[in-house]
């Protein structure tokens, strides 16, 4: 028995490199239309194709092998790291980001759908680079995973095994992995197209509509304007707000919606909890702004809900500089850094299902205190939650907070203030983007030193892979037969 299968891992990585090579070429029409140099993307694509052939040839016998859990954990982690490393090349070759650390940070932020940026003025960037930034969001949000699901079955690898490593609570919606991939891709494309059309009906150009749709549906947050959505009309802000909420909804809900299986949607506790939290917190924020900020009722409603949904879904767009809002509103937004929307969506963070299960565990504890002899179980979506799954979810939250504390400690020890450190780490591991202090919505991450940027980049990847996928690689049991 092998500990890991390096040939199989190389074969998976070769597919990832091929997908990235094709992704670079998608930027060529934009470079042509706006009369910009194409070589940053052709050269990046050439390097990716060269590495693809090297990995593919070396892993020629991988088709006969079976994917194990160890292979899955290692290949998924390496895939995200390699994707981020190679994705930094267009920034370097174009000269927009000469520093490799900065380019890796921007690339990691894009593919992990975090939305943190080192750019101080995105409006002066070439159109092709702006398109690449938004495209990294779209690919990272779901594209890579879906394409891997579609391609991997040809290698006799269970693609769903890789897909499920991103979340312990995804619901299998179809017995055939390839069918899942095509259906999820259809939903993803449909939402992107619908938002692009609606945004273009407002005051966005067609180019801005595409880029901002990529960022919205991936819950990423890279915008083509320095002031994010604050630059655009209230109409476009409402459109983005609605699609951020939809992007934070589980793909499973959309699947059952298209199948007209409303019973399954009604039984989906996470969706109703997510909707309830969004409405409640958004309403509270709107009321705070009505009574404590000089805003009209409509402005308070729009900004309150927009920024609530943006942070809740870990998108990171903003419609106003919430740093100057009343203290209660700022405190609520800070707490939202630790939420996240639905599992099975493109959002990061802890996610609503886990928060709901924690609340159910607390309720169970109180029931036990009042009725010591009662047999209590945690129910989720109409089924008893297995103890193993329950423990895994609670352990995840503990690990999440552990990485948050470690990351904050490193940031403070290397020279950052406590407010900026806590929010930067929370925004990175939660894949949110903007935070508070010196990383507020109108600020950026350029002022951090190289060590801090590397730490934050790794936290983005760790958060995107839901911690356990990466953490298990550093356990002694992983490297034992």
């Amino acid at each position: 028995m092998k500990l890991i299968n390096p040939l199989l891992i190389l074969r998976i990585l070769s597919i990832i490199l091929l997908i990235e090579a094709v992704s670079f070429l998608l930027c060529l029409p934009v470079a042509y239309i706006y009369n910009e140099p194409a070589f940053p993307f052709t050269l990046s694509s050439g390097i990716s194709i060269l590495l693809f052939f090297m990995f593919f040839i070396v892993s020629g016998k991988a088709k006969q092998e079976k994917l194990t859990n160890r292979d899955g954990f290692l290949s998924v982690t390496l895939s995200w790291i390699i994707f981020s490393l190679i994705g930094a090349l267009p920034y370097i070759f174009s000269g927009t980001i000469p520093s490799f650390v900065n380019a890796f940070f921007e690339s990691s932020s894009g593919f992990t759908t975090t939305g943190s940026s080192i750019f101080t003025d995105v409006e002066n960037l070439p159109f092709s680079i702006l398109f690449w930034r938004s495209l990294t969001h779209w690919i990272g949000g779901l594209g890579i995973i879906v394409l891997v699901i579609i391609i991997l079955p040809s290698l006799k690898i269970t693609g769903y095994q890789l897909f499920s490593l991103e979340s312990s609570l995804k619901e299998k919606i179809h017995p055939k992995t390839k069918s899942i991939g095509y259906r999820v891709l259809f939903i993803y494309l449909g939402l992107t197209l619908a938002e692009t059309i609606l945004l273009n009906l407002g005051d966005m150009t067609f180019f801005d509509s595409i880029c901002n749709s990529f960022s919205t549906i991936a819950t990423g947050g890279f915008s083509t304007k320095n002031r994010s959505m604050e630059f655009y009309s209230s109409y476009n802000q409402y459109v983005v707000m609605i699609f951020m909420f939809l992007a934070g909804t589980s793909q499973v809900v959309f699947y059952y919606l298209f199948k007209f299986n409303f019973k399954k949607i009604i039984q989906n506790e996470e969706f109703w909890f997510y909707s309830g939290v969004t409405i409640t917190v958004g309403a509270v924020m709107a009321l705070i702004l009505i009574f404590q900020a000089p805003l009209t009722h409509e402005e308070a409603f729009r900004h309150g809900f927009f920024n609530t949904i943006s942070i809740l879904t870990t998108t990171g767009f903003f419609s106003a500089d919430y740093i100057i809002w009343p203290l209660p509103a700022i405190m609520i937004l800070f707490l939202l850094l630790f939420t996240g929307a639905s599992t099975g969506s493109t959002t990061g963070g802890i996610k609503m299902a886990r928060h709901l299960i924690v609340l159910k565990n607390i309720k169970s504890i109180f029931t036990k205190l009042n009725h010591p002899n009662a047999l209590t179980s945690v129910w989720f979506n109409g089924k008893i939650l297995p103890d193993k799954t329950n423990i895994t979810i609670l352990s995840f939250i503990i690990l999440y907070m552990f990485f948050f504390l470690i990351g904050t400690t490193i940031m403070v020890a290397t020279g950052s203030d406590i407010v900026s450190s806590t929010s930067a780490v929370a925004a990175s591991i939660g894949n949110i983007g903007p935070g508070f202090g010196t990383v507020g919505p109108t600020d950026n991450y350029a002022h951090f030193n190289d060590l801090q940027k590397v730490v934050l980049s790794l936290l983005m990847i760790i958060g995107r892979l839901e911690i356990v996928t990466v953490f298990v690689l550093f356990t002694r049991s992983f490297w034992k037969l």
Side-chain angles (χ1 to χ4, degrees):
M1 180 182 175
K2 291 182 180 180
L3 186 65
I4 57 172
N5 191 327
L7 291 181
L8 187 56
I9 292 171
L10 285 175
R11 176 53 64 94
I12 293 170
L13 295 181
S14 71
I15 296 169
I16 294 297
L17 286 164
L18 181 61
I19 293 171
E20 187 153 28
V22 173
S23 301
F24 288 131
L25 298 179
L26 295 176
C27 299
L28 295 182
V30 179
Y32 175 78
I33 291 169
Y34 292 99
N35 197 26
E36 295 172 352
F39 79 89
F41 304 101
T42 54
L43 186 55
S44 300
S45 183
I47 292 172
S48 298
I49 291 173
L50 180 63
L51 291 172
F52 158 73
F53 278 119
M54 289 171 57
F55 285 15
F56 190 81
I57 292 169
V58 171
S59 62
K61 296 181 180 179
K63 290 185 179 181
Q64 303 169 3
E65 305 292 340
K66 184 181 178 182
L67 185 75
T68 66
N69 284 336
R70 284 189 174 97
D71 296 329
F73 284 122
L74 190 56
S75 58
V76 167
T77 302
L78 290 176
S79 294
W80 282 93
I81 293 173
I82 287 176
F83 230 98
S84 298
L85 286 169
I86 302 298
L89 295 179
Y91 297 120
I92 297 171
F93 293 150
S94 66
T96 51
I97 309 180
S99 163
F100 178 77
V101 171
N102 284 346
F104 176 68
F105 179 92
E106 197 77 13
S107 179
S108 301
S109 180
F111 283 116
T112 59
T113 72
T114 302
S116 307
S117 182
I118 56 89
F119 285 118
T120 55
D121 186 6
V122 298
E123 293 176 29
N124 282 330
L125 292 175
F127 286 95
S128 53
I129 292 296
L130 283 174
F131 184 79
W132 174 242
R133 288 174 82 234
S134 298
L135 185 61
T136 58
H137 271 342
W138 196 86
I139 296 169
L142 207 60
I144 300 173
I145 305 302
V146 171
L147 290 173
V148 167
I149 290 172
I150 295 169
I151 293 169
L152 283 182
S154 64
L155 301 178
K156 296 182 180 179
I157 296 170
T158 307
Y160 188 81
Q161 187 176 358
L162 290 180
F163 188 52
S164 63
L165 289 178
E166 283 206 316
S167 174
S168 58
L169 286 170
K170 280 189 171 68
E171 183 179 349
K172 196 167 184 179
I173 55 180
H174 198 282
K176 293 183 179 179
T177 301
K178 188 177 286 191
S179 297
I180 298 174
Y182 283 125
R183 281 166 173 76
V184 171
L185 183 59
F186 173 77
I187 294 166
Y188 204 60
L189 285 168
L191 288 172
T192 305
L193 180 62
E195 186 185 4
T196 301
I197 293 170
L198 290 172
L199 289 178
N200 193 226
L201 292 175
D203 61 342
M204 280 193 194
T205 64
F206 184 62
F207 176 80
D208 285 354
S209 299
I210 294 174
C211 290
N212 286 301
S213 294
F214 281 170
S215 297
T216 306
I217 302 306
T219 60
F222 280 157
S223 179
T224 52
K225 302 296 180 184
N226 294 326
R227 301 291 295 185
S228 188
M229 292 302 116
E230 187 179 13
F231 180 86
Y232 298 105
S233 65
S234 56
Y235 163 79
N236 276 339
Q237 289 178 14
Y238 278 115
V239 171
V240 171
M241 186 195 310
I242 292 167
F243 277 90
M244 283 193 297
F245 178 82
L246 293 175
T249 303
S250 174
Q251 299 288 327
V252 175
V253 173
F254 289 114
Y255 175 82
Y256 288 130
L257 182 63
F258 292 143
K259 298 281 286 186
F260 297 102
N261 191 341
F262 299 110
K263 183 180 178 181
K264 283 284 189 179
I265 297 175
I266 292 170
Q267 291 176 345
N268 192 302
E269 291 185 60
E270 183 185 35
F271 173 69
W272 298 111
F273 184 63
Y274 164 53
S275 302
V277 170
T278 301
I279 293 169
T280 303
V281 177
V284 170
M285 290 290 290
L287 288 172
I288 291 172
L289 294 178
I290 287 172
F291 291 108
Q292 296 190 24
L295 298 175
T296 65
H297 284 34
E298 187 277 329
E299 288 173 336
F301 174 86
R302 174 161 42 90
H303 294 314
F305 270 92
F306 186 100
N307 293 282
T308 294
I309 294 172
S310 179
I311 295 182
L312 189 66
T313 60
T314 72
T315 305
F317 283 140
F318 63 92
S319 64
D321 187 4
Y322 52 74
I323 292 293
I324 61 174
W325 282 1
L327 186 59
I330 294 174
M331 289 299 298
I332 290 173
L333 290 178
F334 180 80
L335 292 175
L336 289 180
L337 293 177
F338 298 91
T339 53
S342 306
T343 55
S345 70
T346 58
T347 60
I350 294 174
K351 296 193 174 72
M352 286 293 150
R354 293 192 181 98
H355 285 295
L356 180 57
I357 287 167
V358 168
L359 291 175
K360 286 175 176 284
N361 274 279
I362 293 171
K363 180 183 177 182
S364 179
I365 290 170
F366 279 113
T367 301
K368 268 285 189 185
L369 288 173
N370 292 322
H371 307 282
N373 297 322
L375 296 174
T376 57
S377 299
V378 175
W379 287 72
F380 186 72
N381 289 346
K383 299 176 183 177
I384 294 178
L385 194 70
D387 289 340
K388 182 181 178 182
T389 305
N390 198 20
I391 292 170
T392 300
I393 290 164
L394 297 176
S395 299
F396 169 85
I397 295 174
I398 293 170
L399 271 177
Y400 192 98
M401 298 311 297
F402 172 76
F403 274 96
F404 166 71
L405 292 172
I406 292 295
T408 301
T409 302
I410 294 172
M411 293 293 289
V412 172
T414 51
S416 180
D417 67 273
I418 187 68
V419 174
S420 301
S421 296
T422 53
S423 61
V425 170
S428 295
I429 198 170
N431 306 133
I432 299 164
F436 299 87
T438 59
V439 293
T442 60
D443 298 304
N444 55 71
Y445 285 68
H447 60 281
F448 289 125
N449 60 48
D450 284 355
L451 175 60
Q452 291 171 329
K453 287 171 185 170
V454 170
V455 168
L456 293 175
S457 299
L458 293 176
L459 285 173
M460 293 176 202
I461 295 172
I462 291 170
R464 177 59 185 162
L465 293 176
E466 304 227 326
I467 298 178
V468 176
T469 307
V470 179
F471 185 78
V472 73
L473 301 180
F474 298 94
T475 60
R476 186 179 298 179
S477 60
F478 182 86
W479 300 102
K480 277 186 176 182
L481 285 172

